[in-house]
Amino acid sequence: MSKRILISDIAKSLGVSVTTISFILNGKAKEKRISDALTNRVLEYVKKVGYKPNQLAQSLRTGQTKILGLLVEDISNLFFANIAKHIEESSYASGYHLLYCSMGNDTVKARELIQLFYDRQVDGFIITPTEGLEDVVALLLKNNVPVVLFDRYIPQVETNYVVSDNFNGSFRATKHLLENEDNRRIGFVSLYSDQTQMRDRMDGYMKALDQYQRQAYIKKIQIDEQEDIAMAQIFEFIEDNKLDAVLFATNYLAITGLKVNKKYGKLPAMVAFDDHTLFKLHEPAISVVSQRIETIAEELVKVLLRQIRNPQADVKHIVVPCDLKIRDSSTAKIK
Amino acid sequence: MSKRILISDIAKSLGVSVTTISFILNGKAKEKRISDALTNRVLEYVKKVGYKPNQLAQSLRTGQTKILGLLVEDISNLFFANIAKHIEESSYASGYHLLYCSMGNDTVKARELIQLFYDRQVDGFIITPTEGLEDVVALLLKNNVPVVLFDRYIPQVETNYVVSDNFNGSFRATKHLLENEDNRRIGFVSLYSDQTQMRDRMDGYMKALDQYQRQAYIKKIQIDEQEDIAMAQIFEFIEDNKLDAVLFATNYLAITGLKVNKKYGKLPAMVAFDDHTLFKLHEPAISVVSQRIETIAEELVKVLLRQIRNPQADVKHIVVPCDLKIRDSSTAKIK
DNA sequence: CATTTTTGCTAAAAGGTTTTAATAGTGGTC
DNA sequence: GACCACTATTAAAACCTTTTAGCAAAAATG
């Protein structure tokens, strides 16, 4: 580990040229017709002295950093944290490391970070595109930087993405609620957001209602709304419309919903989008549409590496099914 | 963004040497007596063409990557995910980026990653040391690589660390339980682990019991124990000893405890270490010893950057207080 | 045996910065 | 007018690889 040893040191010690060693280390011995004898001698020596090439020099020369940029909305969100974990594991297995960051809903920071990571010459990007990033992503593509989006995508930009089947997840969850005859009025709580996952979740809800010819009750909350205001709005939504059941479009909204219940003691049957460690333990246990996090992460890395290795590869759109997990909150009313 | 522009291009366009431009860009214009006229001319031009230095070349030359390595036990654990978020924010503010990874309890992977990050010449490390990493961390220090540990530290290695005041957190939580006369028998559920945070939490529990001259009931669970086995053990522990209250040494153990309750309907008063989004919403709401995540993250980055900027700086040991958040689970028995 | 091909290896350029050491010019001093 | 000090700038080395282009010797070919 100490006194970094260079390829030139090895060359000197062995009385061979730097070029030869580089060829051997990069597996080009055969191709470059380096004799087996010398190849082995070098390999052995390299191992003995524990030489590790300087990544920076290597990257500077080859233009490859073996680093991927992971830009998520919020790494402290359980969904993203879990994805991040699996992405890291998959990448590690392929010799890639990850530079990460949370962008929040700060478009300026997001743009800057994409630029910064680009300047650092990451080999590819994994991004949850927040609103206002369309042009930056388009620019990356124009510069032939491999990109894969997830959780949501940008319709007007033709790039790789891996998303959950939000439509069907939502559709099935709503249908599940509709199947219970007690649930006459079923509401949907979502966010003011044009992101695809939100749109798809709403469409799924609508489709199910349409099949049963029922009225839709939809309440949208401002994205960074203060919690108590959001709570009041949800409470009012439920009260005023005398809802029997609610489908929450995100994990966080569902938690806010639970807080409403805690405070006002009033929550109808419900299903949440995205599972959460403690939903199972809640009283009653919360039914959820859960996303296949591991699959999503694996696909993300697979798609991105494919693009990195073959820049001509055609764009991939991967839709991963969701799983409806029926627990108590949707079968028995809360309290 | 396209057709990367180099410092030499600028030199040519402006009819100045590369050196001069580099000096100006690195704020050495005054020191090197570059005329103000030229300085401005260069600065303006650089801005106009949007030149960004190639980070790799820069790093290769200076040996500074402006990247920190973040090695945590498990990025999908809410505590670490939250810390990671704030670490990223603090680092970003100082112009640093983060290479992260989860090590699990895989010492081999951990060692390899530290080596790999070292090879990538990260400017410093933020690490939650898992068992078996003592020598690697010591080696980093011997090589003058800035390191700061968190969550726990390695007693035999004199390095920077930022940890919570686990002892007092645990002490106060136990004392809180002792103050309720109904709680005659108070147990402690922990892990088979020699890590400092575990030891301190146990010591705090002990100290409180000693003050009240009460018997200790301590159950340790194997670190990667299967959940159902852990559940059975906890159940048995509570049953056999007829415990009135339990302090759980970690978040996860507490959640396992809640699962025990869900399954066997039997859990005494409790306090958990580490807060969790849904603890507040649990029925009853779970009392916790919560850690000041934001403070810890900020201190980590502060201490590390300090060491990076001044390698001679003396070692810092920072202990951040915990907050006891009393909710229902410790004041009224569960069910 | 002269010529071509193959074998085994290497010198030097390239990648894009920062930094050391030096240079040419100007003004001042005795 | 010789010497020094200072100003404003720069050539070239250094950081450490990979890769292109090429060379000398040995083997194969006709």
Side-chain angles (χ1 to χ4, degrees), chain B residues 16-17 19-20 23 32-35 38 60-61:
Chain B
V16 197
S17 84
T19 312
T20 305
F23 282 151
K32 298 291 179 179
R33 293 177 302 245
I34 310 290
S35 67
L38 183 51
L60 175 60
R61 181 60 236 232

Side-chain angles (χ1 to χ4, degrees), chain A residues 70-137:
Chain A
L70 174 64
L71 297 141
V72 298
E73 192 177 312
D74 177 5
I75 190 81
S76 73
N77 175 315
L78 212 60
F79 172 69
F80 294 122
N82 269 305
I83 288 265
K85 177 185 179 174
H86 291 112
I87 287 179
E88 191 268 320
E89 280 171 0
S90 292
S91 307
Y92 170 73
S94 299
Y96 281 80
H97 293 150
L98 286 162
L99 225 38
Y100 82 93
C101 79
S102 296
M103 313 176 290
N105 283 300
D106 184 344
T107 315
V108 178
K109 182 178 177 188
R111 286 167 162 273
E112 193 178 328
L113 272 160
I114 290 179
Q115 178 70 52
L116 285 169
F117 282 10
Y118 176 79
D119 290 341
R120 284 196 182 278
Q121 286 166 262
V122 299
D123 292 343
F125 283 89
I126 299 177
I127 305 178
T128 55
T130 49
E131 276 155 83
L133 251 47
E134 298 78 4
D135 55 335
V136 193
V137 172

Side-chain angles (χ1 to χ4, degrees), chain B residues 12-26:
Chain B
K12 208 171 294 169
S13 302
L14 253 43
V16 197
S17 84
V18 165
T19 312
T20 305
I21 296 178
S22 177
F23 282 151
I24 292 173
L25 290 177
N26 289 295

Side-chain angles (χ1 to χ4, degrees), chain A residues 1 4 35 39 44 85 88 92 104 117 120 193 195 200 227 229 238 279 281 287-288 303 306-308 323 328 331:
Chain A
M1 221 163 180
R4 204 137 207 165
S35 67
T39 301
E44 239 162 67
K85 177 185 179 174
E88 191 268 320
Y92 170 73
F117 282 10
R120 284 196 182 278
S193 159
Q195 293 177 353
D200 291 349
E227 190 156 66
I229 297 181
I238 294 168
F279 277 176
L281 296 177
S287 300
V288 298
V303 170
R306 178 168 162 280
Q307 182 93 50
I308 289 172
D323 301 302
D328 305 333
T331 48

Side-chain angles (χ1 to χ4, degrees), chain A residues 47-66:
Chain A
K47 195 172 193 176
K48 193 181 107 201
V49 299
Y51 165 77
K52 296 270 172 62
N54 178 315
Q55 278 268 2
L56 290 170
Q58 213 164 234
S59 297
L60 176 59
R61 181 60 236 234
T62 62
Q64 290 232 311
T65 51
K66 291 277 183 179

Side-chain angles (χ1 to χ4, degrees), chain A residues 163-288:
Chain A
V163 296
S164 282
D165 187 349
N166 292 295
F167 178 87
N168 275 307
S170 195
F171 174 73
R172 284 170 52 210
T174 310
K175 214 163 160 180
H176 159 65
L177 288 171
L178 283 162
E179 277 159 3
N180 182 338
E181 305 243 317
D182 290 345
N183 295 332
R184 303 305 301 167
R185 297 150 161 269
I186 298 175
F188 181 67
V189 175
S190 183
L191 294 170
Y192 284 109
S193 159
D194 291 331
Q195 293 177 353
T196 55
Q197 83 279 27
M198 290 301 155
R199 191 201 56 202
D200 291 349
R201 287 172 196 179
M202 185 162 95
D203 288 354
Y205 160 81
M206 281 300 222
K207 173 84 174 297
L209 286 186
D210 289 354
Q211 277 194 1
Y212 279 70
Q213 305 203 17
R214 293 278 180 78
Q215 184 193 326
Y217 299 88
I218 297 174
K219 175 68 193 170
K220 292 188 184 178
I221 308 286
Q222 212 68 42
I223 282 192
D224 276 328
E225 190 60 271
Q226 275 180 283
E227 190 156 66
D228 49 344
I229 297 181
M231 281 170 65
Q233 291 179 344
I234 291 174
F235 176 69
E236 200 174 303
F237 175 57
I238 294 168
E239 274 288 278
D240 290 2
N241 297 296
K242 303 194 180 60
L243 299 180
D244 301 303
V246 173
L247 173 60
F248 288 94
T250 79
N251 203 303
Y252 273 34
L253 287 171
I255 291 175
T256 308
L258 293 176
K259 286 181 180 165
V260 167
N261 184 47
K262 184 93 175 174
K263 185 165 175 188
Y264 305 102
K266 176 96 189 182
L267 196 62
M270 68 176 277
V271 176
F273 223 100
D274 267 14
D275 206 350
H276 190 293
T277 341
L278 289 196
F279 277 176
K280 221 185 308 184
L281 296 177
H282 194 271
E283 196 55 52
I286 311 297
S287 300
V288 298

Side-chain angles (χ1 to χ4, degrees), chain B residues 46-64:
Chain B
V46 161
K47 194 170 189 178
K48 191 182 110 202
V49 297
Y51 165 76
K52 295 270 171 61
N54 178 316
Q55 277 270 1
L56 289 170
Q58 212 164 235
S59 297
L60 175 60
R61 181 60 236 232
T62 63
Q64 290 231 314

